[in-house]
Amino acid sequence: MSELAEDGTSTSGGEAGVTRGGRRGDLFDPTCATRKLLDRIGTKWTSMVVKVLAAAGELRFTELRGRIPGVSQKMLSTTLQNLVADGLVARRVEHTVPPRVFYRLTPLGDSLEVPLAALREWAERHMPEVDAARADVRRAAES
Amino acid sequence: MSELAEDGTSTSGGEAGVTRGGRRGDLFDPTCATRKLLDRIGTKWTSMVVKVLAAAGELRFTELRGRIPGVSQKMLSTTLQNLVADGLVARRVEHTVPPRVFYRLTPLGDSLEVPLAALREWAERHMPEVDAARADVRRAAES
DNA sequence: CAGCATCCCCCACGATACTG
DNA sequence: CAGTATCGTGGGGGATGCTG
């Protein structure tokens, strides 16, 4: 297994620093697959959508909304579009009146659910410790 | 980084008072330990720092910088502070001239590395499929 | 060397309104 | 019902300069 796969990116160098005047279509990409993935699942609702779909199998837009408290329809829509574009979620439309749209995980999405579930388990198991550590630091900083 | 200090504890004279703007009804989902975690590791450099520290054991600030292409001093500093505050990274200072500061994973941080590595493996294995799906969608949208 | 302080840009996200 | 279009904002994050 290869580790440290990321190449240099050459952030410093001749061609960087165009940032200030405004640049078009740049690619700042370090080709780090993990970071790209984390950028995706790190967006606020993505992991939750995946989780809910993994648990429920197939859901309609509104059902999804109902199971994800606090999400706006815009963000749910955007999140789903991204997931569909990424090939993680399949979208099925029934052209009735009113229309019904179903979402479910693709096999790829299902395979992502595995490491994601592991992360969830870690979170539920260890986040209390993290919070305790934070509280600790806060107290130390105040005195 | 996300917030986390919703408890006021305004030490009169301190700098609490996050109340500006007044957010109502936050704290929705009970299952969002995961989301909090993803907010953390979803920040641009966190997972990379954890990875590098997991591989190297203990590193100084500059060494860390050298192994994470593209990171700015400010963001590395911020990231490390958060990781230390979260109890995932330990900070050790040698009060010499010039000073030397070492960072290494705590046992807690090490335990996080496990699911994180699983996620990395998924990414390296399946991100090509994700990218292919994206390209596919693009082509479909163009015609 | 390690790291704050400052400025500023960009974009994820929320609220609201409208459509097929 | 299942979205799109538009506007506004907070804060993540890059660049640069200064300090102990």
Side-chain angles (χ1 to χ4, degrees):
Chain A
M1 45 184 69
S2 57
E3 92 174 314
L4 271 287
E6 43 274 356
D7 66 347
T9 312
S10 65
T11 358
S12 52
E15 48 143 342
V18 196
T19 326
R20 201 175 310 188
R23 60 190 174 192
R24 63 277 154 100
D26 94 303
L27 87 103
F28 212 63
D29 198 281
T31 334
C32 177
T34 307
R35 204 161 79 187
K36 287 203 294 185
L37 177 64
L38 279 167
D39 279 350
R40 303 263 166 91
I41 66 177
T43 61
K44 198 165 187 179
W45 306 105
T46 308
S47 61
M48 204 162 269
V49 168
V50 171
K51 177 193 175 182
V52 168
L53 285 180
E58 192 175 48
L59 290 175
R60 290 206 278 155
F61 189 87
T62 308
E63 292 173 331
L64 220 31
R65 259 198 97 175
R67 293 178 192 224
I68 304 178
V71 70
S72 65
Q73 75 289 48
K74 176 196 164 186
M75 285 321 294
L76 181 56
S77 186
T78 304
T79 301
L80 285 168
Q81 282 171 21
N82 283 322
L83 286 170
V84 169
D86 287 348
L88 297 169
V89 164
R91 184 177 187 269
R92 181 170 64 87
V93 185
E94 278 184 13
H95 294 281
T96 58
V97 178
R100 313 173 74 191
V101 182
F102 296 86
Y103 293 92
R104 67 174 190 84
L105 291 181
T106 62
L108 187 60
D110 250 328
S111 75
L112 174 60
E113 229 294 290
V114 177
L116 223 45
L119 213 59
R120 262 200 298 278
E121 197 184 333
W122 189 96
E124 272 155 32
R125 206 191 207 97
H126 295 288
M127 281 307 279
E129 304 176 43
V130 169
D131 288 336
R134 274 217 106 101
D136 233 44
V137 168
R138 266 195 76 89
R139 262 184 302 147
E142 276 177 18
S143 39
Chain B
M1 292 300 149
S2 48
E3 71 289 351
L4 170 69
E6 42 243 7
D7 100 300
T9 355
S10 49
T11 44
S12 53
E15 49 165 299
V18 196
T19 341
R20 211 172 60 134
R23 26 193 307 158
R24 68 269 151 102
D26 45 358
L27 231 339
F28 284 112
D29 210 319
T31 66
C32 68
T34 309
R35 204 163 78 188
K36 288 202 293 184
L37 177 63
L38 279 167
D39 280 350
R40 304 264 168 91
I41 66 177
T43 60
K44 199 166 186 179
W45 305 105
T46 307
S47 61
M48 204 162 269
V49 168
V50 172
K51 176 191 175 184
V52 168
L53 285 181
E58 192 175 48
L59 289 175
R60 290 208 280 156
F61 190 87
T62 308
E63 291 173 330
L64 221 31
R65 259 197 99 174
R67 295 182 190 221
I68 305 178
V71 70
S72 67
Q73 183 283 319
K74 173 192 163 188
M75 285 321 294
L76 180 55
S77 187
T78 304
T79 302
L80 284 169
Q81 282 171 21
N82 283 320
L83 285 170
V84 169
D86 287 348
L88 298 169
V89 165
R91 183 178 187 270
R92 180 170 63 87
V93 185
E94 278 183 14
H95 293 280
T96 58
V97 179
R100 314 174 76 196
V101 182
F102 295 87
Y103 294 91
R104 67 175 192 83
L105 291 182
T106 62
L108 187 60
D110 250 328
S111 75
L112 174 60
E113 230 293 291
V114 177
L116 222 45
L119 212 59
R120 265 200 296 276
E121 197 184 334
W122 190 97
E124 271 155 33
R125 207 193 204 96
H126 296 288
M127 280 306 280
E129 305 176 43
V130 170
D131 288 335
R134 285 234 132 183
D136 232 44
V137 167
R138 268 198 69 90
R139 261 184 300 146
E142 274 175 17
S143 41

PDB file of all heavy atoms in Angstrom, chain A residues 6-24:
ATOM      1  N   GLU A   6       0.631  11.968  -2.295  1.00  0.00           N
ATOM      2  CA  GLU A   6       0.437  13.293  -2.859  1.00  0.00           C
ATOM      3  C   GLU A   6       1.721  13.874  -3.434  1.00  0.00           C
ATOM      4  O   GLU A   6       2.768  13.814  -2.845  1.00  0.00           O
ATOM      5  CB  GLU A   6      -0.118  14.266  -1.817  1.00  0.00           C
ATOM      6  CG  GLU A   6       0.526  14.149  -0.492  1.00  0.00           C
ATOM      7  CD  GLU A   6      -0.163  13.067   0.290  1.00  0.00           C
ATOM      8  OE1 GLU A   6      -1.150  12.520  -0.223  1.00  0.00           O
ATOM      9  OE2 GLU A   6       0.289  12.748   1.368  1.00  0.00           O
ATOM     10  N   ASP A   7       1.606  14.399  -4.547  1.00  0.00           N
ATOM     11  CA  ASP A   7       2.765  15.007  -5.180  1.00  0.00           C
ATOM     12  C   ASP A   7       2.867  16.449  -4.749  1.00  0.00           C
ATOM     13  O   ASP A   7       2.103  16.935  -3.966  1.00  0.00           O
ATOM     14  CB  ASP A   7       2.635  14.947  -6.693  1.00  0.00           C
ATOM     15  CG  ASP A   7       1.501  15.793  -7.169  1.00  0.00           C
ATOM     16  OD1 ASP A   7       0.681  16.207  -6.301  1.00  0.00           O
ATOM     17  OD2 ASP A   7       1.391  16.050  -8.341  1.00  0.00           O
ATOM     18  N   GLY A   8       3.783  17.122  -5.311  1.00  0.00           N
ATOM     19  CA  GLY A   8       4.170  18.422  -4.796  1.00  0.00           C
ATOM     20  C   GLY A   8       3.193  19.547  -4.996  1.00  0.00           C
ATOM     21  O   GLY A   8       3.175  20.472  -4.235  1.00  0.00           O
ATOM     22  N   THR A   9       2.412  19.519  -6.029  1.00  0.00           N
ATOM     23  CA  THR A   9       1.468  20.583  -6.268  1.00  0.00           C
ATOM     24  C   THR A   9       2.124  21.886  -6.653  1.00  0.00           C
ATOM     25  O   THR A   9       1.502  22.745  -7.214  1.00  0.00           O
ATOM     26  CB  THR A   9       0.625  20.887  -5.019  1.00  0.00           C
ATOM     27  OG1 THR A   9       0.144  19.691  -4.490  1.00  0.00           O
ATOM     28  CG2 THR A   9      -0.540  21.755  -5.359  1.00  0.00           C
ATOM     29  N   SER A  10       3.336  22.026  -6.329  1.00  0.00           N
ATOM     30  CA  SER A  10       4.086  23.251  -6.634  1.00  0.00           C
ATOM     31  C   SER A  10       3.283  24.502  -6.378  1.00  0.00           C
ATOM     32  O   SER A  10       3.002  25.287  -7.262  1.00  0.00           O
ATOM     33  CB  SER A  10       4.540  23.248  -8.091  1.00  0.00           C
ATOM     34  OG  SER A  10       3.442  23.291  -8.959  1.00  0.00           O
ATOM     35  N   THR A  11       2.895  24.655  -5.149  1.00  0.00           N
ATOM     36  CA  THR A  11       2.147  25.847  -4.791  1.00  0.00           C
ATOM     37  C   THR A  11       3.018  27.074  -4.879  1.00  0.00           C
ATOM     38  O   THR A  11       2.589  28.154  -5.210  1.00  0.00           O
ATOM     39  CB  THR A  11       1.628  25.759  -3.363  1.00  0.00           C
ATOM     40  OG1 THR A  11       2.007  24.516  -2.850  1.00  0.00           O
ATOM     41  CG2 THR A  11       0.163  25.950  -3.354  1.00  0.00           C
ATOM     42  N   SER A  12       4.259  26.882  -4.491  1.00  0.00           N
ATOM     43  CA  SER A  12       5.192  27.973  -4.673  1.00  0.00           C
ATOM     44  C   SER A  12       5.875  27.710  -5.991  1.00  0.00           C
ATOM     45  O   SER A  12       6.105  26.613  -6.372  1.00  0.00           O
ATOM     46  CB  SER A  12       6.225  27.925  -3.573  1.00  0.00           C
ATOM     47  OG  SER A  12       6.786  26.635  -3.516  1.00  0.00           O
ATOM     48  N   GLY A  13       6.183  28.700  -6.663  1.00  0.00           N
ATOM     49  CA  GLY A  13       6.768  28.445  -7.955  1.00  0.00           C
ATOM     50  C   GLY A  13       6.389  29.598  -8.830  1.00  0.00           C
ATOM     51  O   GLY A  13       5.943  30.624  -8.334  1.00  0.00           O
ATOM     52  N   GLY A  14       6.564  29.474 -10.064  1.00  0.00           N
ATOM     53  CA  GLY A  14       6.314  30.604 -10.923  1.00  0.00           C
ATOM     54  C   GLY A  14       4.855  30.902 -11.126  1.00  0.00           C
ATOM     55  O   GLY A  14       4.450  32.049 -11.154  1.00  0.00           O
ATOM     56  N   GLU A  15       4.057  29.874 -11.220  1.00  0.00           N
ATOM     57  CA  GLU A  15       2.729  30.102 -11.741  1.00  0.00           C
ATOM     58  C   GLU A  15       1.678  30.312 -10.676  1.00  0.00           C
ATOM     59  O   GLU A  15       0.535  30.559 -10.982  1.00  0.00           O
ATOM     60  CB  GLU A  15       2.327  28.902 -12.576  1.00  0.00           C
ATOM     61  CG  GLU A  15       2.591  27.627 -11.845  1.00  0.00           C
ATOM     62  CD  GLU A  15       1.533  26.595 -12.109  1.00  0.00           C
ATOM     63  OE1 GLU A  15       0.451  26.968 -12.568  1.00  0.00           O
ATOM     64  OE2 GLU A  15       1.762  25.459 -11.839  1.00  0.00           O
ATOM     65  N   ALA A  16       2.065  30.220  -9.450  1.00  0.00           N
ATOM     66  CA  ALA A  16       1.074  30.456  -8.414  1.00  0.00           C
ATOM     67  C   ALA A  16       0.865  31.957  -8.245  1.00  0.00           C
ATOM     68  O   ALA A  16       1.392  32.747  -8.981  1.00  0.00           O
ATOM     69  CB  ALA A  16       1.526  29.838  -7.096  1.00  0.00           C
ATOM     70  N   GLY A  17       0.105  32.304  -7.277  1.00  0.00           N
ATOM     71  CA  GLY A  17      -0.035  33.711  -6.946  1.00  0.00           C
ATOM     72  C   GLY A  17      -0.865  34.511  -7.925  1.00  0.00           C
ATOM     73  O   GLY A  17      -0.868  35.724  -7.893  1.00  0.00           O
ATOM     74  N   VAL A  18      -1.608  33.855  -8.736  1.00  0.00           N
ATOM     75  CA  VAL A  18      -2.503  34.581  -9.624  1.00  0.00           C
ATOM     76  C   VAL A  18      -3.772  34.918  -8.872  1.00  0.00           C
ATOM     77  O   VAL A  18      -4.624  35.637  -9.356  1.00  0.00           O
ATOM     78  CB  VAL A  18      -2.857  33.727 -10.847  1.00  0.00           C
ATOM     79  CG1 VAL A  18      -3.434  34.564 -11.946  1.00  0.00           C
ATOM     80  CG2 VAL A  18      -1.628  32.984 -11.323  1.00  0.00           C
ATOM     81  N   THR A  19      -3.818  34.392  -7.670  1.00  0.00           N
ATOM     82  CA  THR A  19      -5.043  34.439  -6.902  1.00  0.00           C
ATOM     83  C   THR A  19      -5.575  35.846  -6.723  1.00  0.00           C
ATOM     84  O   THR A  19      -6.761  36.067  -6.619  1.00  0.00           O
ATOM     85  CB  THR A  19      -4.805  33.863  -5.508  1.00  0.00           C
ATOM     86  OG1 THR A  19      -3.860  32.819  -5.622  1.00  0.00           O
ATOM     87  CG2 THR A  19      -6.086  33.356  -4.934  1.00  0.00           C
ATOM     88  N   ARG A  20      -4.699  36.779  -6.680  1.00  0.00           N
ATOM     89  CA  ARG A  20      -5.145  38.083  -6.278  1.00  0.00           C
ATOM     90  C   ARG A  20      -5.971  38.791  -7.345  1.00  0.00           C
ATOM     91  O   ARG A  20      -7.011  39.355  -7.090  1.00  0.00           O
ATOM     92  CB  ARG A  20      -3.950  38.958  -5.944  1.00  0.00           C
ATOM     93  CG  ARG A  20      -4.349  40.112  -5.073  1.00  0.00           C
ATOM     94  CD  ARG A  20      -3.150  40.883  -4.650  1.00  0.00           C
ATOM     95  NE  ARG A  20      -2.120  39.999  -4.097  1.00  0.00           N
ATOM     96  CZ  ARG A  20      -1.037  40.483  -3.524  1.00  0.00           C
ATOM     97  NH1 ARG A  20      -0.870  41.758  -3.420  1.00  0.00           N
ATOM     98  NH2 ARG A  20      -0.119  39.676  -3.056  1.00  0.00           N
ATOM     99  N   GLY A  21      -5.483  38.781  -8.515  1.00  0.00           N
ATOM    100  CA  GLY A  21      -6.199  39.478  -9.563  1.00  0.00           C
ATOM    101  C   GLY A  21      -7.454  38.759 -10.001  1.00  0.00           C
ATOM    102  O   GLY A  21      -8.242  39.288 -10.746  1.00  0.00           O
ATOM    103  N   GLY A  22      -7.625  37.557  -9.515  1.00  0.00           N
ATOM    104  CA  GLY A  22      -8.771  36.791  -9.956  1.00  0.00           C
ATOM    105  C   GLY A  22      -8.344  35.874 -11.068  1.00  0.00           C
ATOM    106  O   GLY A  22      -7.746  36.283 -12.052  1.00  0.00           O
ATOM    107  N   ARG A  23      -8.636  34.599 -10.930  1.00  0.00           N
ATOM    108  CA  ARG A  23      -8.206  33.660 -11.949  1.00  0.00           C
ATOM    109  C   ARG A  23      -9.402  32.855 -12.385  1.00  0.00           C
ATOM    110  O   ARG A  23     -10.376  32.712 -11.695  1.00  0.00           O
ATOM    111  CB  ARG A  23      -7.179  32.745 -11.360  1.00  0.00           C
ATOM    112  CG  ARG A  23      -7.863  32.045 -10.211  1.00  0.00           C
ATOM    113  CD  ARG A  23      -6.975  31.301  -9.398  1.00  0.00           C
ATOM    114  NE  ARG A  23      -7.717  30.799  -8.267  1.00  0.00           N
ATOM    115  CZ  ARG A  23      -7.074  30.296  -7.262  1.00  0.00           C
ATOM    116  NH1 ARG A  23      -5.795  30.319  -7.265  1.00  0.00           N
ATOM    117  NH2 ARG A  23      -7.722  29.809  -6.263  1.00  0.00           N
ATOM    118  N   ARG A  24      -9.280  32.308 -13.549  1.00  0.00           N
ATOM    119  CA  ARG A  24     -10.374  31.497 -14.041  1.00  0.00           C
ATOM    120  C   ARG A  24      -9.892  30.068 -14.154  1.00  0.00           C
ATOM    121  O   ARG A  24      -8.780  29.810 -14.527  1.00  0.00           O
ATOM    122  CB  ARG A  24     -10.854  32.026 -15.384  1.00  0.00           C
ATOM    123  CG  ARG A  24      -9.795  31.948 -16.457  1.00  0.00           C
ATOM    124  CD  ARG A  24      -8.831  33.141 -16.400  1.00  0.00           C
ATOM    125  NE  ARG A  24      -7.530  32.759 -16.973  1.00  0.00           N
ATOM    126  CZ  ARG A  24      -7.170  33.065 -18.196  1.00  0.00           C
ATOM    127  NH1 ARG A  24      -7.946  33.808 -18.913  1.00  0.00           N
ATOM    128  NH2 ARG A  24      -6.031  32.665 -18.662  1.00  0.00           N
TER     129      ARG A  24
END
